[in-house]
Structure formats: structure tokens, C-alpha cells
Amino acid sequence: MKSKKFIKEKLEQLFAQFNDIKIQYEYRANTYSHIIEVTPLEFFKEDERYLILEAELEEEFESLFPNENIVFISEGSLSEIKSAEFELGGKSITFHNEVTNIDFIVVEFSESVDFQYSNNYALAA
């Protein structure tokens, strides 16, 4: 089995168990590295069951493909996905302000998105 096919199958299995995450994959031939970004960061760092499955995937990959590298990253990592070969999960849009943080998962969208939301604090006299 080729390494890319192995990774794609394993990531699809992982996503089936944690479908509220987003996974992006990119292969870098110059370093024989498979870069996998998992978001959101909180999930990547805090879900113990996910972390165990990720470690098992890394160990299995390294034993099958000892001349290649597998690297898991998330938001804020020094490495980033430049051109994803495949993605699992929706597009995430996050709005931050002093009052609240709002996360949207967009499953399908067109190129133009029109947000028509405003706060009108005018008082009638």
C-alpha cells in the first residue's frame, strides 16, 4: 500500500469518529513529509481519545514507511498547509469580538457571502 493511500484511509476513519473536526492533508516531496492539519486547536490538544488514535496512526505509519515523515499540526503551528490535496470537514468561520466568540461550520457556500447583521442601539426619544 502506498503511503498517501494509507494516510487517506486512516484519516477518513479518524474523521468518521470525530466529525466535528476539520482535517487537511498535504504531501511535501522535498522532505518526504505528510503534513496533516487538524482543527480546531482545542480539540487537537484536549481530546484524549483523539490523541491516542493519532499516536497509534503515527506509530503504524512510521513502521510501514520508515523513510517518510508524518507531521500533525493545528492552528498557529509554524508549518501550515499551503495546498491541500484533500480535506475532510467543513469550512470554519470564526468571529471574535469583546462580547462573544461565534464559530460557524459552513458545509456549502458560494463565492459571495452576504452577512446582514447589525446591532442598532438607537433609542427613540
Side-chain angles (χ1 to χ4, degrees):
M1 177 182 288
K2 300 283 184 184
S3 59
K4 284 185 181 184
K5 182 178 178 185
F6 171 85
I7 288 175
K8 185 172 183 182
E9 288 177 5
K10 291 295 184 176
L11 292 178
E12 287 171 346
Q13 292 171 10
L14 189 66
F15 181 73
Q17 295 182 51
F18 304 98
N19 58 9
D20 55 342
I21 62 175
K22 179 180 177 184
I23 300 173
Q24 293 186 83
Y25 167 82
E26 178 180 81
Y27 177 70
R28 297 189 184 158
N30 61 332
T31 59
Y32 305 104
S33 297
H34 302 268
I35 311 298
I36 300 160
E37 181 179 61
V38 179
T39 55
L41 179 61
E42 294 78 22
F43 181 85
F44 183 81
K45 291 179 6 180
E46 297 172 5
D47 191 298
E48 187 175 334
R49 188 172 65 114
Y50 166 80
L51 292 172
I52 290 168
L53 291 172
E54 178 188 301
E56 290 172 353
L57 191 159
E58 286 178 354
E59 187 176 312
E60 186 177 0
F61 178 85
E62 290 168 355
S63 69
L64 291 171
F65 308 100
N67 297 325
E68 298 181 41
N69 302 301
I70 186 167
V71 179
F72 283 85
I73 62 171
S74 193
E75 302 158 314
S77 296
L78 294 176
S79 295
E80 61 182 28
I81 301 289
K82 296 178 179 124
S83 179
E85 292 185 35
F86 71 84
E87 297 181 13
L88 300 167
K91 305 283 186 205
S92 177
I93 302 172
T94 303
F95 297 92
H96 296 282
N97 65 30
E98 293 178 12
V99 178
T100 185
N101 292 332
I102 303 170
D103 291 339
F104 294 93
I105 302 297
V106 180
V107 177
E108 295 181 33
F109 62 93
S110 66
E111 289 187 22
S112 65
V113 178
D114 185 18
F115 291 99
Q116 295 183 359
Y117 177 83
S118 65
N119 289 325
N120 187 347
Y121 297 106
L123 298 175

